[in-house]
Amino acid sequence: MTKKHILLVEDDLNFGSVMKSFLEMNDLYVDWVDDGQNAIDTFKKGFYDLCILDVMLPHVDGFTIGTQIKQTKPAMPIIYLTAKNMKEDIIKGFKIGADDYITKPFDSEVLIYKIKAILKRNPFSPAEAERNDTTVNIGRFVFNFRDRSLTFEDGTQSKLSPKEADLLFFLHQNVNNVLDRNYTLEKIWGETGYFTARSMDVFITRLRKLLKADENIEISNVHGSGYILKVKE
């Protein structure tokens, strides 16, 4: 089973570093952002199963971030983890759609069980649920994740394997941005070892062949980072 991917937004550098390490020790994959201004861009570029937000942040507060996340992806679970413990703040968090509102100081073991309980409520994560109902255009192709089909504008259709479909979906979610290699390996293969990395390279080669009919599409290697799906307008 692949690790769940958490977005952590926390401006206290010491606390954020400890939290990231703690969550990763509990088999979660974590992206940590320490500035509210960068949180939404990071969220849009990533693919998350749950967000943990502080409220008091530089530039953009956690309530604004939570509101924007819910507008973009209403099913995304959110936990507020904050020192703001006034009743009106707690109510505001829940009105935005938070699954929980935890005030500092808190019991870290309880937090982990709350995270697991929230994630367990959905056998499919928001990310997986979104893929199940998604048909998207990629250049002159139409990609249907549900039936794993890739159809060119002339009607020619190719069937993808489950991992090819996952990989193409992640590439499309990050179109014209770098898709991190280790994150992708964790999400699709559940590990980041040498042989799984080579396996992913084989699937990338296969996708390149399928997409070459459109000269405006390119999948490039980014040395030391991952891959990028470039689609020219």
Side-chain angles (χ1 to χ4, degrees):
M1 183 176 179
T2 58
K3 292 182 181 180
K4 299 297 185 179
H5 200 168
I6 307 295
L7 174 63
L8 171 65
V9 185
E10 168 60 60
D11 67 318
D12 185 311
L13 299 184
N14 289 329
F15 179 73
S17 177
V18 170
M19 273 297 299
K20 184 177 189 296
S21 297
F22 174 71
L23 293 170
E24 289 176 340
M25 285 171 55
N26 283 274
D27 208 31
L28 296 166
Y29 197 94
V30 182
D31 286 342
W32 169 35
V33 179
D34 61 10
D35 190 317
Q37 190 170 357
N38 300 324
I40 292 298
D41 284 341
T42 301
F43 176 78
K44 289 179 178 178
K45 291 176 182 177
F47 214 61
Y48 299 101
D49 299 294
L50 183 144
C51 300
I52 300 175
L53 310 177
D54 192 4
V55 173
M56 296 180 289
L57 296 162
H59 302 109
V60 181
D61 67 87
F63 290 141
T64 301
I65 294 167
T67 299
Q68 293 184 29
I69 286 174
K70 285 295 185 179
Q71 288 172 348
T72 304
K73 294 186 178 179
M76 180 60 58
I78 292 176
I79 294 177
Y80 280 108
L81 186 59
T82 175
K84 288 180 73 67
N85 59 6
M86 298 294 289
K87 179 180 177 180
E88 54 266 32
D89 292 319
I90 297 171
I91 291 173
K92 185 173 183 178
F94 282 115
K95 281 185 175 179
I96 287 169
D99 293 76
D100 211 331
Y101 192 106
I102 301 172
T103 56
K104 302 173 183 176
F106 63 97
D107 187 312
S108 56
E109 187 176 2
V110 171
L111 172 63
I112 285 296
Y113 277 99
K114 287 188 173 187
I115 290 172
K116 290 181 177 179
I118 290 169
L119 294 173
K120 191 176 181 180
R121 287 205 296 261
N122 277 333
F124 294 99
S125 69
E128 291 164 336
E130 182 179 324
R131 293 202 303 273
N132 285 340
D133 291 314
T134 297
T135 298
V136 296
N137 294 315
I138 303 177
R140 294 154 66 191
F141 289 90
V142 175
F143 171 46
N144 187 309
F145 182 85
R146 181 184 289 276
D147 62 14
R148 304 199 307 273
S149 65
L150 186 64
T151 307
F152 193 52
E153 62 183 8
D154 65 0
T156 303
Q157 186 177 91
S158 302
K159 286 289 186 178
L160 308 180
S161 70
K163 284 188 171 58
E164 286 170 346
D166 276 333
L167 186 52
L168 183 56
F169 191 88
F170 286 166
L171 285 164
H172 175 263
Q173 284 291 304
N174 293 271
V175 65
N176 296 319
N177 291 290
V178 176
L179 177 64
D180 182 77
R181 171 185 286 269
N182 287 336
Y183 163 64
T184 309
L185 288 169
E186 284 281 2
K187 292 297 290 183
I188 299 178
W189 279 269
E191 57 177 298
T192 59
Y194 173 83
F195 292 106
T196 50
R198 297 287 73 78
S199 177
M200 185 165 70
D201 290 339
V202 171
F203 285 113
I204 287 288
T205 300
R206 159 83 169 155
L207 289 176
R208 283 179 177 139
K209 290 179 180 178
L210 292 174
L211 295 168
K212 70 178 182 181
D214 187 342
E215 66 277 5
N216 291 318
I217 297 177
E218 178 185 2
I219 302 177
S220 301
N221 287 19
V222 181
H223 183 69
S225 297
Y227 300 98
I228 181 169
L229 173 65
K230 299 177 182 178
V231 181
K232 298 178 183 177
E233 296 294 334

